[in-house]
Amino acid sequence: TDPATIRNFSIIAHIDHGKSTLADRMLQLTGVVNAREMRAQYLDKMDIERERGITIKSQAVRMPWTHDGRGYVLNMIDTPGHVDFTYEVSRSLEACEGAVLLVDAAQGIEAQTLANLYLALDADLTIIPVLNKIDLPSAQPEKFAAEIASIIGCQPADVLQVSAKTGAGVPELLDAVVAQVPAPTGDAQAPARALIFDSVYDIYRGVVTYVRVVDGELSTRDRIRMMSTGAAHEVLEMGVHSPEPVVCAGLGVGEVGYLITGVKDVRQSRVGDTVTLATRPSAQPLAGYKQPKPMVFAGVYPIDSVDFPQLREALEKLQLNDAALVYEPETSGALGFGFRIGFLGLLHMEIVQERLEREFGLDLISTAPSVNYRVVMEDGSQHRVTNPSEFPEGKIDTVFEPVVRTNILCPAEFIGAVMELCQGRRGEQLGLDYLSEDRVEMRYRLPLGEIVFDFFDALKSRTKGYASLDYEEDGEQPSDMVKVDILLNGEPVDAFSAIVHREKAFGYGSEMASRLRKLIPRQQFEVPIQAAIGARIIARETIRAVRKDVLAKCYGGDISRKRKLLEKQKQGKKRMKMVGRVEVPQEAFVAALTTS
Ligand code: GTP
């Protein structure tokens, strides 16, 4: 294909602003999917995506479009919308020359609209601003066109208005893509370079790698090389999605498509990596490749310990499709055998847990999420700590914790509530801007560890659901962090240890102690539950002793009833865990970790 007739673009939008619906309409209008085949959210392939209405994996679709009597090829590259997948978003934007900035005409700009807009501007993309859902009676196109215009620096009249639902304005939008988005440029004679912007594991075809060719050409049967690892593979199949796969012989400058080499694991085909030819390699990879970096860690355990091998198998399978997933085995006195799993962020964590439970039928319990601390000892040695049980004993000089920059967008009436929340989470305010007369953007620097504990929920409840939030890494800061242990009759219960700020240690300790007091049954002797920092006790609760004689009730009663009771008690014991001398039903641990 002549690069002059190619347009590569993405749609960037906040969740629910209508990206998938707009994509569906484009597929229909360009004729690649007819009305009969059309089903809502055609491109969101995974069930879990469809159910939650979120897009996790990006994909590319090729669509023909005629403008001014000339035929063009439009490649629409789908981006995941959520903050946890920022890196994937930025790589898919790198594969484009333009972006459609889609904003709900009844909602206005939200945090992820802005976050993605900044990424698109970083990638030097041409931005086409569009208001969606203009069919809604509650739409306020004038107001929000002005808001968008002031942010991207255009005229309100330049903001297109569409309804992805009815299709109104969508042909004009496709014309604007052709007219405004630059054609790709690249050197057709140079050694081949293609950017991997996504890779997906398919049980029938192995890993399907999505690429955007920048220079040169890639063809079937070529031996290709991944520039970050040096690994070489033969291309078994190349093609484009339109939206079903269509095999082709090769892809040239500016083209977007997929290739299959027979590798079985997406980690061999990393997002952001550069593909070149093994026979005539390029000297210089495309810029910006990063390994995905886990930011949030949690212990994940099967509720029934016999499920441990299934959990291991499920994780191995998930990893084939999720290069960001990392894990290692872990043992807990309270919860048994499980895994410490690293996630990109909270949504990633939720998605992985949900997939493990749903696709693999596992019942799981996870410990409170933790972040990656750097502990510097007085003797100068350093430790990376992602698990409270690894928190070093001995003389600690400084603990560094990861921090993030957050953007919070909300109606102006909630400014006070949001400030109070962020201050309570050790936030430092960086700025506040009015986007329009009644909506503000607030910027805070916050410890990531404070966000992983229920920050989203707290923000939503304080703003009646009207706030949106986005964050990006912003280095680390020294903080007064301590490890709080929860002791049962003097024995630490590992699953409940946490690394928290010293000022919050008492709150955490007394909360956990009181939860456990309510959940652990009385024993034959008095059991103290204590929260401690090192040897220092900071909170205490007591479970009073009881003399539990199950047979007392059946005084002189019939023997079969006695036997039944004894039988029942024996069964109950199977799911008991011993912490020192204290017998605890596994459910108590599970309940203490899940109530909040
Ligand atoms: P994510 O995939 O979660 O990012 O969401 P999305 O941006 O793809 O939104 P989606 O297309 O799922 O649309 C969200 C909701 O808005 C759905 O209920 C759509 O039916 C509805 N919607 C999308 N476009 C329009 C529109 O033009 N008018 C009206 N009235 N509703 C729309």
Side-chain angles (χ1 to χ4, degrees):
T1 316
D2 176 2
T5 64
I6 299 176
R7 299 293 182 271
N8 296 324
F9 74 100
S10 281
I11 304 173
I12 54 183
H14 191 76
I15 281 175
D16 281 347
H17 283 201
K19 188 171 78 174
S20 308
T21 310
L22 179 61
D24 287 351
R25 218 47 354 91
M26 289 179 169
L27 296 182
Q28 238 176 344
L29 267 170
T30 57
V32 297
V33 178
N34 64 37
R36 191 172 44 82
E37 297 165 335
M38 194 72 213
R39 54 175 198 269
Q41 309 208 336
Y42 196 93
L43 298 176
D44 284 354
K45 284 244 166 86
M46 269 194 267
D47 279 352
I48 193 163
E49 290 191 3
R50 208 184 297 273
E51 269 171 40
R52 297 177 147 225
I54 51 171
T55 307
I56 301 162
K57 275 293 180 187
S58 46
Q59 285 187 318
V61 203
R62 183 177 171 126
M63 304 174 289
W65 188 245
T66 309
H67 175 66
D68 277 349
R70 188 170 179 201
Y72 290 86
V73 170
L74 306 183
N75 290 309
M76 174 169 58
I77 294 175
D78 199 15
T79 54
H82 193 272
V83 41
D84 286 359
F85 306 99
T86 297
Y87 175 64
E88 290 188 13
V89 179
S90 71
R91 295 324 279 177
S92 23
L93 293 177
E94 285 291 333
C96 304
E97 278 75 32
V100 170
L101 179 71
L102 190 70
V103 176
D104 186 325
Q107 305 284 330
I109 287 179
E110 296 286 0
Q112 278 148 38
T113 325
L114 275 192
N116 290 337
L117 171 63
Y118 297 147
L119 293 174
L121 292 173
D122 276 350
D124 280 330
L125 303 192
T126 299
I127 308 291
I128 300 181
V130 179
L131 282 171
N132 185 31
K133 309 196 189 180
I134 51 158
D135 60 290
L136 287 178
S138 55
Q140 296 177 276
E142 294 77 32
K143 175 179 172 181
F144 292 123
E147 188 179 281
I148 296 172
S150 78
I151 283 169
I152 67 172
C154 67
Q155 295 302 315
D158 298 336
V159 180
L160 300 181
Q161 301 193 359
V162 308
S163 166
K165 188 176 170 186
T166 67
V170 181
E172 291 78 3
L173 170 56
L174 291 171
D175 283 338
V177 168
V178 170
Q180 294 175 32
V181 174
T185 52
D187 184 347
Q189 308 312 319
R193 292 199 298 177
L195 171 71
I196 300 181
F197 62 89
D198 200 4
S199 68
V200 182
Y201 177 73
D202 179 308
I203 46 168
Y204 303 108
R205 303 193 291 170
V207 172
V208 179
T209 302
Y210 288 85
V211 293
R212 146 77 195 252
V213 178
V214 175
D215 294 320
E217 193 178 351
L218 294 175
S219 309
T220 314
R221 299 285 148 220
D222 279 345
R223 262 193 96 67
I224 54 167
R225 174 170 295 163
M226 305 296 175
M227 291 187 81
S228 75
T229 60
H233 309 280
E234 184 184 344
V235 179
L236 303 178
E237 180 184 320
M238 291 193 83
V240 296
H241 281 102
S242 195
E244 298 303 330
V246 179
V247 174
C248 68
L251 294 172
V253 169
E255 287 195 287
V256 172
Y258 70 87
L259 58 85
I260 293 172
T261 61
V263 303
K264 286 274 178 269
D265 181 340
V266 290
R267 287 172 300 169
Q268 291 167 285
S269 204
R270 294 266 196 183
V271 170
D273 202 354
T274 303
V275 179
T276 190
L277 287 176
T279 44
R280 189 184 167 219
S282 169
Q284 190 63 40
L286 300 162
Y289 172 68
K290 277 198 304 191
Q291 291 259 19
K293 193 168 89 184
M295 307 262 281
V296 176
F297 302 81
V300 174
Y301 294 84
I303 286 182
D304 189 342
S305 55
V306 303
D307 286 341
F308 178 76
Q310 278 91 302
L311 175 58
R312 176 196 299 277
E313 220 172 274
L315 283 167
E316 280 166 7
K317 285 201 181 125
L318 274 192
Q319 206 172 38
L320 295 176
N321 200 9
D322 185 349
L325 186 69
V326 293
Y327 60 88
E328 54 184 44
E330 171 179 276
T331 336
S332 152
L335 302 173
F337 293 104
F339 290 94
R340 192 86 194 154
I341 309 186
F343 307 95
L344 297 173
L346 287 176
L347 182 72
H348 188 216
M349 178 162 87
E350 254 182 65
I351 289 168
V352 170
Q353 287 178 355
E354 206 172 311
R355 292 187 66 184
L356 287 172
E357 300 203 312
R358 187 187 312 201
E359 292 171 28
F360 300 93
L362 293 161
D363 282 325
L364 302 173
I365 178 73
S366 47
T367 63
S370 176
V371 298
N372 188 344
Y373 296 97
R374 184 163 67 92
V375 183
V376 180
M377 309 299 286
E378 282 184 359
D379 66 11
S381 63
Q382 282 203 37
H383 305 266
R384 280 282 171 190
V385 179
T386 57
N387 186 340
S389 71
E390 294 161 357
F391 200 76
E393 318 256 313
K395 292 211 164 59
I396 291 171
D397 184 64
T398 319
V399 180
F400 293 88
E401 63 174 342
V403 283
V404 292
R405 265 171 193 274
T406 59
N407 269 332
I408 298 170
L409 268 64
C410 67
E413 64 189 279
F414 299 117
I415 291 177
V418 172
M419 281 186 166
E420 196 185 38
L421 172 66
C422 292
Q423 274 155 17
R425 303 296 178 107
R426 299 188 286 126
E428 175 200 344
Q429 191 172 4
L430 302 173
L432 186 155
D433 285 310
Y434 278 81
L435 297 174
S436 59
E437 63 196 35
D438 54 2
R439 273 156 45 83
V440 291
E441 178 193 8
M442 300 167 80
R443 289 184 297 278
Y444 273 89
R445 195 161 189 261
L446 279 156
L448 179 62
E450 296 282 347
I451 290 194
V452 301
F453 284 111
D454 75 351
F455 186 84
F456 286 93
D457 293 342
L459 181 68
K460 288 280 175 208
S461 71
R462 280 166 189 249
T463 60
K464 306 202 170 98
Y466 281 113
S468 57
L469 167 90
D470 198 86
Y471 61 82
E472 58 175 348
E473 299 178 59
D474 193 28
E476 57 176 18
Q477 68 183 18
S479 296
D480 192 4
M481 307 305 290
V482 292
K483 177 186 169 199
V484 178
D485 289 316
I486 306 296
L487 312 175
L488 206 55
N489 204 26
E491 296 281 332
V493 190
D494 52 7
F496 295 95
S497 296
I499 299 168
V500 295
H501 193 263
R502 193 179 297 277
E503 280 168 15
K504 306 211 160 164
F506 173 74
Y508 176 80
S510 47
E511 162 74 21
M512 276 303 176
S514 92
R515 272 193 211 174
L516 284 171
R517 180 179 58 77
K518 290 177 201 142
L519 292 164
I520 295 176
R522 291 181 179 189
Q523 313 274 316
Q524 312 281 18
F525 48 91
E526 187 176 280
V527 178
I529 305 176
Q530 298 158 308
I533 302 175
R536 198 164 60 82
I537 304 300
I538 56 170
R540 176 184 168 123
E541 300 263 353
T542 307
I543 304 171
R544 277 183 296 125
V546 72
R547 184 142 204 93
K548 191 164 77 181
D549 187 349
V550 290
L551 298 185
K553 282 185 210 146
C554 317
Y555 197 70
D558 79 276
I559 193 79
S560 72
R561 182 141 176 250
K562 277 185 200 171
R563 201 173 285 137
K564 243 191 226 157
L565 269 173
L566 287 170
E567 202 54 44
K568 222 165 144 193
Q569 201 185 39
K570 219 160 82 197
Q571 272 183 4
K573 278 223 169 88
K574 277 195 217 145
R575 262 163 288 143
M576 291 288 178
K577 301 262 173 175
M578 296 301 291
V579 176
R581 289 202 301 139
V582 185
E583 243 182 23
V584 185
Q586 161 116 16
E587 297 92 75
F589 289 132
V590 172
L593 283 170
T594 41
T595 30
S596 56

mmCIF file with all atom_site columns, all heavy atoms in Angstrom, residues 147-165:
data_model
loop_
_atom_site.group_PDB
_atom_site.id
_atom_site.type_symbol
_atom_site.label_atom_id
_atom_site.label_alt_id
_atom_site.label_comp_id
_atom_site.label_asym_id
_atom_site.label_entity_id
_atom_site.label_seq_id
_atom_site.pdbx_PDB_ins_code
_atom_site.Cartn_x
_atom_site.Cartn_y
_atom_site.Cartn_z
_atom_site.occupancy
_atom_site.B_iso_or_equiv
_atom_site.pdbx_formal_charge
_atom_site.auth_seq_id
_atom_site.auth_comp_id
_atom_site.auth_asym_id
_atom_site.auth_atom_id
_atom_site.pdbx_PDB_model_num
ATOM 1   N N   . GLU A 1 147 ? -14.646 23.834 26.806 1.00 0.00 ? 147 GLU A N   1
ATOM 2   C CA  . GLU A 1 147 ? -13.689 23.228 27.750 1.00 0.00 ? 147 GLU A CA  1
ATOM 3   C C   . GLU A 1 147 ? -12.556 22.531 26.979 1.00 0.00 ? 147 GLU A C   1
ATOM 4   O O   . GLU A 1 147 ? -11.366 22.733 27.272 1.00 0.00 ? 147 GLU A O   1
ATOM 5   C CB  . GLU A 1 147 ? -14.462 22.215 28.612 1.00 0.00 ? 147 GLU A CB  1
ATOM 6   C CG  . GLU A 1 147 ? -13.683 21.639 29.766 1.00 0.00 ? 147 GLU A CG  1
ATOM 7   C CD  . GLU A 1 147 ? -14.535 20.651 30.577 1.00 0.00 ? 147 GLU A CD  1
ATOM 8   O OE1 . GLU A 1 147 ? -15.360 21.106 31.383 1.00 0.00 ? 147 GLU A OE1 1
ATOM 9   O OE2 . GLU A 1 147 ? -14.359 19.428 30.422 1.00 0.00 ? 147 GLU A OE2 1
ATOM 10  N N   . ILE A 1 148 ? -12.931 21.753 25.971 1.00 0.00 ? 148 ILE A N   1
ATOM 11  C CA  . ILE A 1 148 ? -11.907 21.042 25.192 1.00 0.00 ? 148 ILE A CA  1
ATOM 12  C C   . ILE A 1 148 ? -11.020 22.038 24.451 1.00 0.00 ? 148 ILE A C   1
ATOM 13  O O   . ILE A 1 148 ? -9.790  21.913 24.445 1.00 0.00 ? 148 ILE A O   1
ATOM 14  C CB  . ILE A 1 148 ? -12.571 20.095 24.158 1.00 0.00 ? 148 ILE A CB  1
ATOM 15  C CG1 . ILE A 1 148 ? -13.355 19.003 24.881 1.00 0.00 ? 148 ILE A CG1 1
ATOM 16  C CG2 . ILE A 1 148 ? -11.523 19.472 23.240 1.00 0.00 ? 148 ILE A CG2 1
ATOM 17  C CD1 . ILE A 1 148 ? -14.184 18.143 23.937 1.00 0.00 ? 148 ILE A CD1 1
ATOM 18  N N   . ALA A 1 149 ? -11.668 23.041 23.848 1.00 0.00 ? 149 ALA A N   1
ATOM 19  C CA  . ALA A 1 149 ? -10.909 24.011 23.059 1.00 0.00 ? 149 ALA A CA  1
ATOM 20  C C   . ALA A 1 149 ? -9.874  24.714 23.929 1.00 0.00 ? 149 ALA A C   1
ATOM 21  O O   . ALA A 1 149 ? -8.731  24.934 23.495 1.00 0.00 ? 149 ALA A O   1
ATOM 22  C CB  . ALA A 1 149 ? -11.861 25.028 22.429 1.00 0.00 ? 149 ALA A CB  1
ATOM 23  N N   . SER A 1 150 ? -10.247 25.038 25.173 1.00 0.00 ? 150 SER A N   1
ATOM 24  C CA  . SER A 1 150 ? -9.296  25.768 26.004 1.00 0.00 ? 150 SER A CA  1
ATOM 25  C C   . SER A 1 150 ? -8.139  24.863 26.412 1.00 0.00 ? 150 SER A C   1
ATOM 26  O O   . SER A 1 150 ? -7.029  25.323 26.642 1.00 0.00 ? 150 SER A O   1
ATOM 27  C CB  . SER A 1 150 ? -9.993  26.374 27.216 1.00 0.00 ? 150 SER A CB  1
ATOM 28  O OG  . SER A 1 150 ? -10.212 25.377 28.175 1.00 0.00 ? 150 SER A OG  1
ATOM 29  N N   . ILE A 1 151 ? -8.382  23.551 26.503 1.00 0.00 ? 151 ILE A N   1
ATOM 30  C CA  . ILE A 1 151 ? -7.298  22.652 26.913 1.00 0.00 ? 151 ILE A CA  1
ATOM 31  C C   . ILE A 1 151 ? -6.352  22.329 25.764 1.00 0.00 ? 151 ILE A C   1
ATOM 32  O O   . ILE A 1 151 ? -5.135  22.309 25.953 1.00 0.00 ? 151 ILE A O   1
ATOM 33  C CB  . ILE A 1 151 ? -7.881  21.374 27.544 1.00 0.00 ? 151 ILE A CB  1
ATOM 34  C CG1 . ILE A 1 151 ? -8.330  21.720 28.969 1.00 0.00 ? 151 ILE A CG1 1
ATOM 35  C CG2 . ILE A 1 151 ? -6.852  20.251 27.595 1.00 0.00 ? 151 ILE A CG2 1
ATOM 36  C CD1 . ILE A 1 151 ? -9.142  20.674 29.627 1.00 0.00 ? 151 ILE A CD1 1
ATOM 37  N N   . ILE A 1 152 ? -6.906  22.080 24.574 1.00 0.00 ? 152 ILE A N   1
ATOM 38  C CA  . ILE A 1 152 ? -5.970  21.717 23.505 1.00 0.00 ? 152 ILE A CA  1
ATOM 39  C C   . ILE A 1 152 ? -5.602  22.907 22.637 1.00 0.00 ? 152 ILE A C   1
ATOM 40  O O   . ILE A 1 152 ? -4.750  22.787 21.755 1.00 0.00 ? 152 ILE A O   1
ATOM 41  C CB  . ILE A 1 152 ? -6.479  20.536 22.627 1.00 0.00 ? 152 ILE A CB  1
ATOM 42  C CG1 . ILE A 1 152 ? -7.701  20.931 21.824 1.00 0.00 ? 152 ILE A CG1 1
ATOM 43  C CG2 . ILE A 1 152 ? -6.775  19.313 23.461 1.00 0.00 ? 152 ILE A CG2 1
ATOM 44  C CD1 . ILE A 1 152 ? -8.078  19.841 20.833 1.00 0.00 ? 152 ILE A CD1 1
ATOM 45  N N   . GLY A 1 153 ? -6.201  24.058 22.882 1.00 0.00 ? 153 GLY A N   1
ATOM 46  C CA  . GLY A 1 153 ? -5.822  25.243 22.140 1.00 0.00 ? 153 GLY A CA  1
ATOM 47  C C   . GLY A 1 153 ? -6.345  25.254 20.718 1.00 0.00 ? 153 GLY A C   1
ATOM 48  O O   . GLY A 1 153 ? -5.591  25.431 19.767 1.00 0.00 ? 153 GLY A O   1
ATOM 49  N N   . CYS A 1 154 ? -7.658  25.011 20.566 1.00 0.00 ? 154 CYS A N   1
ATOM 50  C CA  . CYS A 1 154 ? -8.281  25.135 19.246 1.00 0.00 ? 154 CYS A CA  1
ATOM 51  C C   . CYS A 1 154 ? -9.539  25.985 19.405 1.00 0.00 ? 154 CYS A C   1
ATOM 52  O O   . CYS A 1 154 ? -9.797  26.521 20.487 1.00 0.00 ? 154 CYS A O   1
ATOM 53  C CB  . CYS A 1 154 ? -8.615  23.755 18.670 1.00 0.00 ? 154 CYS A CB  1
ATOM 54  S SG  . CYS A 1 154 ? -9.908  22.894 19.597 1.00 0.00 ? 154 CYS A SG  1
ATOM 55  N N   . GLN A 1 155 ? -10.310 26.129 18.341 1.00 0.00 ? 155 GLN A N   1
ATOM 56  C CA  . GLN A 1 155 ? -11.563 26.864 18.432 1.00 0.00 ? 155 GLN A CA  1
ATOM 57  C C   . GLN A 1 155 ? -12.692 25.888 18.792 1.00 0.00 ? 155 GLN A C   1
ATOM 58  O O   . GLN A 1 155 ? -12.681 24.750 18.306 1.00 0.00 ? 155 GLN A O   1
ATOM 59  C CB  . GLN A 1 155 ? -11.902 27.510 17.073 1.00 0.00 ? 155 GLN A CB  1
ATOM 60  C CG  . GLN A 1 155 ? -10.914 28.568 16.637 1.00 0.00 ? 155 GLN A CG  1
ATOM 61  C CD  . GLN A 1 155 ? -10.799 29.676 17.665 1.00 0.00 ? 155 GLN A CD  1
ATOM 62  O OE1 . GLN A 1 155 ? -11.804 30.162 18.192 1.00 0.00 ? 155 GLN A OE1 1
ATOM 63  N NE2 . GLN A 1 155 ? -9.565  30.074 17.988 1.00 0.00 ? 155 GLN A NE2 1
ATOM 64  N N   . PRO A 1 156 ? -13.669 26.341 19.597 1.00 0.00 ? 156 PRO A N   1
ATOM 65  C CA  . PRO A 1 156 ? -14.798 25.454 19.918 1.00 0.00 ? 156 PRO A CA  1
ATOM 66  C C   . PRO A 1 156 ? -15.455 24.902 18.652 1.00 0.00 ? 156 PRO A C   1
ATOM 67  O O   . PRO A 1 156 ? -15.929 23.749 18.643 1.00 0.00 ? 156 PRO A O   1
ATOM 68  C CB  . PRO A 1 156 ? -15.757 26.360 20.685 1.00 0.00 ? 156 PRO A CB  1
ATOM 69  C CG  . PRO A 1 156 ? -14.883 27.418 21.283 1.00 0.00 ? 156 PRO A CG  1
ATOM 70  C CD  . PRO A 1 156 ? -13.744 27.620 20.327 1.00 0.00 ? 156 PRO A CD  1
ATOM 71  N N   . ALA A 1 157 ? -15.447 25.680 17.575 1.00 0.00 ? 157 ALA A N   1
ATOM 72  C CA  . ALA A 1 157 ? -16.081 25.215 16.331 1.00 0.00 ? 157 ALA A CA  1
ATOM 73  C C   . ALA A 1 157 ? -15.316 24.059 15.691 1.00 0.00 ? 157 ALA A C   1
ATOM 74  O O   . ALA A 1 157 ? -15.864 23.334 14.859 1.00 0.00 ? 157 ALA A O   1
ATOM 75  C CB  . ALA A 1 157 ? -16.187 26.378 15.349 1.00 0.00 ? 157 ALA A CB  1
ATOM 76  N N   . ASP A 1 158 ? -14.044 23.892 16.058 1.00 0.00 ? 158 ASP A N   1
ATOM 77  C CA  . ASP A 1 158 ? -13.261 22.778 15.501 1.00 0.00 ? 158 ASP A CA  1
ATOM 78  C C   . ASP A 1 158 ? -13.604 21.445 16.158 1.00 0.00 ? 158 ASP A C   1
ATOM 79  O O   . ASP A 1 158 ? -13.134 20.390 15.715 1.00 0.00 ? 158 ASP A O   1
ATOM 80  C CB  . ASP A 1 158 ? -11.755 23.015 15.721 1.00 0.00 ? 158 ASP A CB  1
ATOM 81  C CG  . ASP A 1 158 ? -11.277 24.262 15.013 1.00 0.00 ? 158 ASP A CG  1
ATOM 82  O OD1 . ASP A 1 158 ? -11.932 24.659 14.034 1.00 0.00 ? 158 ASP A OD1 1
ATOM 83  O OD2 . ASP A 1 158 ? -10.256 24.838 15.453 1.00 0.00 ? 158 ASP A OD2 1
ATOM 84  N N   . VAL A 1 159 ? -14.354 21.493 17.249 1.00 0.00 ? 159 VAL A N   1
ATOM 85  C CA  . VAL A 1 159 ? -14.674 20.251 17.952 1.00 0.00 ? 159 VAL A CA  1
ATOM 86  C C   . VAL A 1 159 ? -15.849 19.587 17.243 1.00 0.00 ? 159 VAL A C   1
ATOM 87  O O   . VAL A 1 159 ? -16.944 20.139 17.171 1.00 0.00 ? 159 VAL A O   1
ATOM 88  C CB  . VAL A 1 159 ? -15.029 20.539 19.434 1.00 0.00 ? 159 VAL A CB  1
ATOM 89  C CG1 . VAL A 1 159 ? -15.364 19.237 20.155 1.00 0.00 ? 159 VAL A CG1 1
ATOM 90  C CG2 . VAL A 1 159 ? -13.866 21.260 20.124 1.00 0.00 ? 159 VAL A CG2 1
ATOM 91  N N   . LEU A 1 160 ? -15.604 18.381 16.684 1.00 0.00 ? 160 LEU A N   1
ATOM 92  C CA  . LEU A 1 160 ? -16.663 17.684 15.961 1.00 0.00 ? 160 LEU A CA  1
ATOM 93  C C   . LEU A 1 160 ? -17.693 17.157 16.953 1.00 0.00 ? 160 LEU A C   1
ATOM 94  O O   . LEU A 1 160 ? -17.381 16.911 18.114 1.00 0.00 ? 160 LEU A O   1
ATOM 95  C CB  . LEU A 1 160 ? -16.082 16.506 15.171 1.00 0.00 ? 160 LEU A CB  1
ATOM 96  C CG  . LEU A 1 160 ? -15.029 16.839 14.118 1.00 0.00 ? 160 LEU A CG  1
ATOM 97  C CD1 . LEU A 1 160 ? -14.578 15.562 13.411 1.00 0.00 ? 160 LEU A CD1 1
ATOM 98  C CD2 . LEU A 1 160 ? -15.579 17.843 13.118 1.00 0.00 ? 160 LEU A CD2 1
ATOM 99  N N   . GLN A 1 161 ? -18.923 16.986 16.449 1.00 0.00 ? 161 GLN A N   1
ATOM 100 C CA  . GLN A 1 161 ? -19.981 16.462 17.310 1.00 0.00 ? 161 GLN A CA  1
ATOM 101 C C   . GLN A 1 161 ? -20.554 15.212 16.679 1.00 0.00 ? 161 GLN A C   1
ATOM 102 O O   . GLN A 1 161 ? -20.962 15.234 15.516 1.00 0.00 ? 161 GLN A O   1
ATOM 103 C CB  . GLN A 1 161 ? -21.073 17.520 17.490 1.00 0.00 ? 161 GLN A CB  1
ATOM 104 C CG  . GLN A 1 161 ? -20.501 18.798 18.103 1.00 0.00 ? 161 GLN A CG  1
ATOM 105 C CD  . GLN A 1 161 ? -21.570 19.750 18.584 1.00 0.00 ? 161 GLN A CD  1
ATOM 106 O OE1 . GLN A 1 161 ? -22.757 19.486 18.453 1.00 0.00 ? 161 GLN A OE1 1
ATOM 107 N NE2 . GLN A 1 161 ? -21.136 20.863 19.161 1.00 0.00 ? 161 GLN A NE2 1
ATOM 108 N N   . VAL A 1 162 ? -20.566 14.118 17.444 1.00 0.00 ? 162 VAL A N   1
ATOM 109 C CA  . VAL A 1 162 ? -21.083 12.864 16.899 1.00 0.00 ? 162 VAL A CA  1
ATOM 110 C C   . VAL A 1 162 ? -21.997 12.166 17.898 1.00 0.00 ? 162 VAL A C   1
ATOM 111 O O   . VAL A 1 162 ? -22.005 12.502 19.084 1.00 0.00 ? 162 VAL A O   1
ATOM 112 C CB  . VAL A 1 162 ? -19.939 11.869 16.533 1.00 0.00 ? 162 VAL A CB  1
ATOM 113 C CG1 . VAL A 1 162 ? -18.899 12.507 15.636 1.00 0.00 ? 162 VAL A CG1 1
ATOM 114 C CG2 . VAL A 1 162 ? -19.293 11.294 17.789 1.00 0.00 ? 162 VAL A CG2 1
ATOM 115 N N   . SER A 1 163 ? -22.745 11.234 17.394 1.00 0.00 ? 163 SER A N   1
ATOM 116 C CA  . SER A 1 163 ? -23.426 10.275 18.249 1.00 0.00 ? 163 SER A CA  1
ATOM 117 C C   . SER A 1 163 ? -22.982 8.891  17.790 1.00 0.00 ? 163 SER A C   1
ATOM 118 O O   . SER A 1 163 ? -23.336 8.459  16.703 1.00 0.00 ? 163 SER A O   1
ATOM 119 C CB  . SER A 1 163 ? -24.948 10.407 18.144 1.00 0.00 ? 163 SER A CB  1
ATOM 120 O OG  . SER A 1 163 ? -25.527 9.249  18.738 1.00 0.00 ? 163 SER A OG  1
ATOM 121 N N   . ALA A 1 164 ? -22.216 8.245  18.611 1.00 0.00 ? 164 ALA A N   1
ATOM 122 C CA  . ALA A 1 164 ? -21.758 6.898  18.244 1.00 0.00 ? 164 ALA A CA  1
ATOM 123 C C   . ALA A 1 164 ? -22.944 5.948  18.226 1.00 0.00 ? 164 ALA A C   1
ATOM 124 O O   . ALA A 1 164 ? -22.933 4.940  17.540 1.00 0.00 ? 164 ALA A O   1
ATOM 125 C CB  . ALA A 1 164 ? -20.711 6.421  19.243 1.00 0.00 ? 164 ALA A CB  1
ATOM 126 N N   . LYS A 1 165 ? -23.980 6.320  18.975 1.00 0.00 ? 165 LYS A N   1
ATOM 127 C CA  . LYS A 1 165 ? -25.157 5.457  19.037 1.00 0.00 ? 165 LYS A CA  1
ATOM 128 C C   . LYS A 1 165 ? -25.936 5.505  17.728 1.00 0.00 ? 165 LYS A C   1
ATOM 129 O O   . LYS A 1 165 ? -26.239 4.470  17.146 1.00 0.00 ? 165 LYS A O   1
ATOM 130 C CB  . LYS A 1 165 ? -26.034 5.905  20.196 1.00 0.00 ? 165 LYS A CB  1
ATOM 131 C CG  . LYS A 1 165 ? -27.179 4.987  20.487 1.00 0.00 ? 165 LYS A CG  1
ATOM 132 C CD  . LYS A 1 165 ? -27.923 5.483  21.701 1.00 0.00 ? 165 LYS A CD  1
ATOM 133 C CE  . LYS A 1 165 ? -29.221 4.734  21.904 1.00 0.00 ? 165 LYS A CE  1
ATOM 134 N NZ  . LYS A 1 165 ? -29.977 5.359  23.011 1.00 0.00 ? 165 LYS A NZ  1
#
